[in-house]
Structures are given as C-alpha cells and as structure tokens.
Amino acid sequence: MGFPQKMVVEVIKENGEENTDLILEALLKCSARSSASSSGSKLIDHFTGMGFDAEMVAKAIQENGEGNTDTILETLLTYSAIEKSPEEQQPMDSDHLYSEYDGYSLDDFSDIDSSENEEIAKCEPDEGNPLIFLAKMGYTVEEASIAVERCGPDATIAELTDFICAAQMAKAADASFPEEKPKLKHFDDDYPKNKKRSYYEYDMWKRKQHLKLRKRMLPGDDEMLRLPNPMIGFGFPTEPAVVTHRTLPEAAIGPPYFYYENVALAPKGVWSTISRFLYDVEPEFVDSKYFCAAARKRGYVHNLPIQNRFPLLPLPPHAIHEALPMTKKWWPSWDTRTKLNCLQTCVGSAKLTDRIRKAIEGYEGDPPLSNQKFVLDECRRWNLVWVGRNKVAPLEPDEVEMLLGFPRNHTRGGGISRTDRYKSLGNSFQVDTVAYHLSVLKDLYPGGINLLSLFSGIGGAEVALHRLGIRLKNVVSVEISEVNRNIIRSWWEQTDQTGNLIDIVDVQQLNADRLEQLMNSFGGFDLVVGGSPCNNLTGSNRFHRDGLEGKESSLFFDFCRILDLVKCIMTRN
C-alpha cells in the first residue's frame, strides 16, 4: 500500500497484529499527519476545507499523487458516494453508463429540461455539497462543477441535472457537425442598396441600429437575467394570474403587436440583450409543462395585453399517463416521471433501447439502483416511454404532434420523411402555450388579423390563431426550409383558409421596399411573430456556443430589423 516500513512497525506495536482494519485506520491517520507536515499540506488543507475527512484526503493523494487535483477530487467524491450509499449497488459495464448518440443525426438540439418530478425536486445535496450529491448520482466532476457554476450554489438538484443533460446533448451535437466561425456583419449589410429607396427612411433605420449598438455595449450586458422558479410567466390557465398589469416602455406600445420566442436556458447575458433590443420589454418565461404533459422552457418578449387571456379547449392532457394511457400498464414503480422532458429534434436509437432492455431484464424484482439510474437518465434524455415488459421506445411523430398541440398528421402533410418530421416538430412552438398568450387578440380583431410570421417553422403561430377562432386574412410566412413551407401550405389548404398565404424564403430578402409593397396591398400588419433559430443558444452553450453572435442565432437581429421597419412604415403611413 506504500506506507513507510518504520510507520507500519510502530503502528503494529501500538495496536497488535490481530485487527487489520484498526492497523489500516491508524496508518491512514499517521499518513495524514505526515502528509500535513510535508509539501502536500496545502493540498490537504484545500480538500479538508471543502469538507472531506483528512484521512480520506491522504488516501486519495496516495492513490493519485499530488499532481492532478481533479483526479484527487473525483476519487474523494467516489469515496463519499460509496460511504453514504444506502446499500451496495451492483456495478454495470462501463459501456452502459453512456447514452447512444447514433440515432437520427439532425441539425439542431433544442434545450432539454428535466421533468422535475417531486422526489428529485425535494432532494437536497449531502451536507450542503451539491458536488458530492451529483457524483453519487454518477455525474463527472467536470459536469457537476460547470452545472454548479452556471446555475448557482443554491440551485436544486433537479435544476443542476437539467443543465447537465442539456450540456450532454449539445456536446453530442457539437461532435456531429463541424464548427463554423460566425460571420460578423456590418449593420449596413442588412439593408440592400441596389434599389431605390427613401434616404430619410434609410437614415432613420441606420440611426436606430447605431443607437442599439451603443446600448448593447453599455456596462452590465454580462449580467445574468435570473430565470423565475416556477417558470409560469404572468400566469397560466389552471391557476390565478400572478401578474395582472404591466407597464410597457413607450416605444413598445402596439399596434403593431409583436411576439418573440426563444429558449429560456440561454447563455449568460443573452436574454438581457434580447430585451434591450426589443424596446426593453420584460421577458415572460414559461415552461409548457403547466399547459401540457411535456416540459418546454421558453422566454417570450411581447407587447400583448395580459388581461383576459383564455386557454384552448379542451385542455390538453397534463400528465404522461393521461396523454399516453397505453403506457401505464408497463410503467415500473421506480420510474417516477409524470411529465416528459423538452421534445427534441431527434429520438433515441434502437441500439440504446436494446441496451436498456438488457440492463433490467433477468431480475425478479426491481433492478439494482445503478441500473435504474442508467435507465432513468436515458429515458429522461430521450423521452422514452414503456411499451412492454422491460421495453422502452421513443415517441412516435403523431404523439409528439399531440403533445405540442398540433393536429394529428400535421407534419405528414408535407410528404416528408419520419426523420424530418421529428426535426420540424422539435423546433416548433408549443401551440397551447402560445395560444394562451395570443388569445387576447380575438376581441381586438373580431374581423381577422394580418400576420407577419418570421421563421415560421411548421406554423405554430398560425395554428394557434386558427384554433382560437381568429381569421387569418393575410399571412406573410418567412421560412427557409422547403419542408416546413410545404407543411404550412398543406395545412392551409386542408383547413380551408379563406385568406391569402404569401411565402418568402429568407428573412434577408425582406427589405424595406418589399415590406412597403406588401403592407400597402392590405393595410399593414397587426402582429409580427417569430422565434429565431436557437442553435447557438442551447445546452452547454456558455462554454461551447456563440450565443447571439452565432451563425444561426444572429438572425435574431433580422427580427429586430424587420420589426423596426414595420413600425417605421406604419407610423409614416
């Protein structure tokens, strides 16, 4: 074991030769004392200051040497986990500790949110140390440390595991696609100069952009905008409104009304920037688990009224077994999920579901705790549901449509592949949540609405307005994906819409001339809605992603540019 011979002889003299455990304990104490007086005393003081026992620290240093503090810390966390374990756990093969990322390889990984079931939410870190608790759950020291730094020392275990799962998904996505350096554009690049235009209009637009740029550079941009807990926005249908009145900045007062959506768990400073660029309107953060059976944490910046909202009826199922009753028969008691996580653009592979089956079959009762943890981690990460004895499967596209509030077979209308259906759905709005916010427009526009839909996706806003009974008089839909445009066009025809649907491929094609031409033809827009791509905002983005400077997510500034132009043209006219 590496103890000095002289030390061993002295300890045996003091304790006798019979009790080896007592001898080992005494040797560790002596080693700790000896180490404390040597060059490693600072290292021991460092770890004992974190709450670890001196004997345990000495043992970990002996095993790993003094060179790698991360390895020592990981060993100490492992010791603590074993020491505090309620029962000896049966180990699994190391291959079983990692999920399979060889399912459908897609362009975007949306944020993933833990269902935050009651048992996990009530868990408190051992002795106030979340690192030890997360290590006991099987997460690495690096994952645990980043999560605690990002979420804060007061975060619940559910919030920390949320962040780690999101980071793992984003890391897998980063590995699948080559990193591209974002291209920074000058503001003038967004405003085409190859056509005639009003110099006054261009100058006004240019001044606004420079004012915004200066505002963006003001001190405090790096400050984190704290997310509320619980994430219920200004209220939701089954509970009284938390906020019944708000005061909007003068520049934000509509019409036209605007509604912008993106992932809530964005990098540091992103939501503060989004708010400042959208007239300093306070974001409304909402988790769709309060509207349906799946979590979807999103932020919404809008200037809509918040009084007299109403939900879509009938209310959708709010729990997994209500939404998917056939799964209840096979659901094990140790899987305590009642809500699904954020629905992704991809699904788990057949290889993964086979691993899960092998990890739990062959046990008469419940499988060992380590096996349960592996299975539950993967089920949460990939939204797997129980479809047979020891058998899990990913959600079907029509089940995802139902959970997100779309009509059955909505994404089949474009004649697309199963893989593309998952991708399109994973990037969409949750219709019931959005409809609750947009419901205030029904009384304001009894004759119908003119809608500018930027980054339309599969038409979440359009479907929400239609389900609310608001007539779509004129819709200008801007969507770069041909697959998604086909889905919207198919839905438009199947629902016998009487208005006009105008397709535009790229937001950067929508300049002042085109906007003025469109607005003159039907009298302007009542609502501008959009959710720019979240590719550079999700998961472990703070460490691996570029935020609003990223290639895709920088399209947020095109939303701002177009909204400014709409307001400018409507004010002038």
Side-chain angles (χ1 to χ4, degrees):
M1 290 187 177
F3 294 110
Q5 185 177 358
K6 185 177 179 181
M7 183 188 295
V8 175
V9 172
E10 290 177 357
V11 168
I12 291 175
K13 282 182 181 179
E14 290 179 6
N15 298 279
E17 301 180 1
E18 294 79 12
N19 194 330
T20 54
D21 290 339
L22 190 61
I23 292 171
L24 179 59
E25 187 177 343
L27 285 169
L28 289 171
K29 286 181 180 178
C30 291
S31 178
R33 287 194 295 269
S34 175
S35 298
S37 61
S38 68
S39 60
S41 60
K42 290 184 179 179
L43 197 59
I44 291 181
D45 290 343
H46 172 71
F47 287 115
T48 54
M50 295 171 68
F52 295 108
D53 183 73
E55 297 170 25
M56 189 184 292
V57 173
K59 185 178 177 183
I61 292 173
Q62 272 194 325
E63 286 187 9
N64 299 283
E66 298 179 5
N68 193 329
T69 54
D70 288 341
T71 307
I72 295 170
L73 178 57
E74 192 159 350
T75 303
L76 289 168
L77 291 169
T78 304
Y79 288 162
S80 297
I82 294 172
E83 188 177 273
K84 297 176 185 297
S85 179
E87 59 180 272
E88 191 174 340
Q89 297 181 8
Q90 180 178 333
M92 295 180 62
D93 293 340
S94 59
D95 287 346
H96 285 177
L97 298 178
Y98 302 93
S99 59
E100 288 297 318
Y101 296 106
D102 58 354
Y104 297 113
S105 181
L106 301 174
D107 293 343
D108 171 55
F109 281 75
S110 300
D111 65 324
I112 182 168
D113 307 294
S114 169
S115 58
E116 297 181 8
N117 65 69
E118 292 183 5
E119 290 188 15
I120 291 182
K122 291 178 182 176
C123 286
E124 292 297 334
D126 290 5
E127 299 179 0
N129 191 334
L131 290 176
I132 294 177
F133 195 90
L134 291 169
K136 186 174 177 180
M137 294 176 71
Y139 297 107
T140 67
V141 174
E142 183 183 11
E143 289 173 330
S145 300
I146 291 174
V148 171
E149 181 186 351
R150 173 66 172 82
C151 302
D154 298 326
T156 65
I157 291 300
E159 291 167 338
L160 295 172
T161 53
D162 274 1
F163 181 82
I164 292 172
C165 284
Q168 290 171 345
M169 293 291 285
K171 187 176 181 181
D174 290 339
S176 301
F177 302 99
E179 184 177 348
E180 294 186 36
K181 190 173 181 180
K183 297 178 182 177
L184 298 179
K185 299 183 294 183
H186 192 275
F187 276 121
D188 290 21
D189 295 340
D190 286 330
Y191 202 99
K193 299 188 179 97
N194 58 344
K195 295 182 180 180
K196 285 186 177 181
R197 65 191 69 258
S198 160
Y199 175 81
Y200 171 78
E201 181 180 302
Y202 174 76
D203 185 63
M204 179 183 290
W205 175 85
K206 188 174 179 181
R207 287 185 184 187
K208 280 189 177 183
Q209 303 312 311
H210 284 290
L211 281 171
K212 286 182 176 179
L213 181 61
R214 286 199 298 272
K215 196 172 189 179
R216 186 180 174 198
M217 298 302 178
L218 289 174
D221 185 60
D222 285 337
E223 289 301 313
M224 175 88 72
L225 195 157
R226 291 288 176 184
L227 300 180
N229 187 16
M231 202 174 284
I232 57 176
F234 302 141
F236 60 100
T238 57
E239 293 290 337
V242 177
V243 178
T244 57
H245 177 75
R246 64 171 178 163
T247 302
L248 290 171
E250 185 177 352
I253 297 173
Y257 293 105
F258 64 87
Y259 186 81
Y260 176 80
E261 180 256 25
N262 218 314
V263 294
L265 300 175
K268 185 178 180 180
V270 163
W271 275 106
S272 297
T273 301
I274 289 173
S275 177
R276 283 200 291 273
F277 270 72
L278 292 175
Y279 315 106
D280 291 313
V281 175
E282 175 190 358
E284 179 175 10
F285 292 105
V286 184
D287 190 338
S288 69
K289 73 179 184 180
Y290 298 107
F291 289 82
C292 68
R296 203 174 192 80
K297 294 180 179 177
R298 294 291 186 267
Y300 304 89
V301 178
H302 62 85
N303 62 343
L304 295 164
I306 62 174
Q307 298 86 8
N308 303 318
R309 290 171 165 181
F310 60 88
L312 289 175
L313 296 175
L315 293 176
H318 275 61
I320 296 173
H321 293 153
E322 294 174 15
L324 306 167
M326 296 297 290
T327 65
K328 189 174 183 179
K329 177 181 178 181
W330 306 106
W331 209 273
S333 59
W334 45 270
D335 184 347
T336 56
R337 289 178 296 159
T338 59
K339 300 275 188 179
L340 293 164
N341 287 337
C342 183
L343 301 169
Q344 305 298 307
T345 56
C346 55
V347 295
S349 67
K351 189 176 179 182
L352 172 62
T353 55
D354 188 55
R355 279 189 174 184
I356 289 174
R357 177 184 58 79
K358 291 177 180 177
I360 56 179
E361 69 180 1
Y363 297 98
E364 292 184 7
D366 292 343
L369 293 179
S370 56
N371 298 47
Q372 290 181 29
K373 180 196 177 299
F374 161 69
V375 172
L376 288 175
D377 280 352
E378 300 307 323
C379 285
R380 290 190 182 103
R381 185 172 295 123
W382 295 102
N383 280 317
L384 303 175
V385 294
W386 298 89
V387 296
R389 180 173 173 78
N390 300 325
K391 186 177 180 182
V392 294
L395 297 167
E396 293 295 323
D398 61 317
E399 293 172 330
V400 178
E401 287 169 344
M402 176 267 296
L403 290 162
L404 290 173
F406 288 94
R408 187 179 180 86
N409 293 324
H410 180 74
T411 51
R412 289 186 71 180
I416 64 175
S417 69
R418 178 185 172 92
T419 301
D420 282 338
R421 290 180 71 187
Y422 284 118
K423 180 180 178 180
S424 295
L425 286 162
N427 287 322
S428 71
F429 287 161
Q430 204 290 320
V431 172
D432 299 277
T433 309
V434 171
Y436 185 63
H437 297 159
L438 300 182
S439 61
V440 296
L441 296 172
K442 187 167 185 178
D443 289 339
L444 295 175
Y445 299 97
I449 197 170
N450 291 329
L451 172 67
L452 174 56
S453 180
L454 304 174
F455 317 103
S456 296
I458 58 174
E462 291 87 329
V463 172
L465 291 165
H466 174 69
R467 290 189 59 192
L468 286 166
I470 300 173
R471 179 173 176 260
L472 299 169
K473 295 193 297 184
N474 295 281
V475 174
V476 176
S477 173
V478 186
E479 172 55 44
I480 199 166
S481 165
E482 183 179 4
V483 165
N484 291 343
R485 292 199 304 274
N486 289 339
I487 290 172
I488 295 176
R489 177 64 65 180
S490 175
W491 171 82
W492 188 269
E493 294 168 354
Q494 289 172 7
T495 51
D496 298 321
Q497 298 291 329
T498 57
N500 301 310
L501 174 62
I502 302 167
D503 290 322
I504 295 178
V505 174
D506 192 345
V507 290
Q508 294 180 359
Q509 296 175 359
L510 199 56
N511 54 38
D513 284 346
R514 186 72 190 277
L515 274 170
E516 190 156 20
Q517 177 189 4
L518 290 166
M519 293 167 70
N520 287 339
S521 67
F522 49 74
F525 293 107
D526 304 307
L527 173 66
V528 180
V529 64
S532 55
C534 63
N535 303 49
N536 309 112
L537 305 183
T538 55
S540 59
N541 37 45
R542 182 182 173 192
F543 304 96
H544 304 291
R545 303 272 174 122
D546 301 308
L548 291 175
E549 298 300 327
K551 180 181 178 182
E552 290 83 12
S553 294
S554 63
L555 292 171
F556 160 72
F557 298 107
D558 279 294
F559 180 92
C560 300
R561 173 182 64 84
I562 292 168
L563 177 60
D564 278 350
L565 283 171
V566 169
K567 290 173 73 71
C568 178
I569 293 170
M570 290 184 69
T571 301
R572 188 184 63 196
N573 291 344

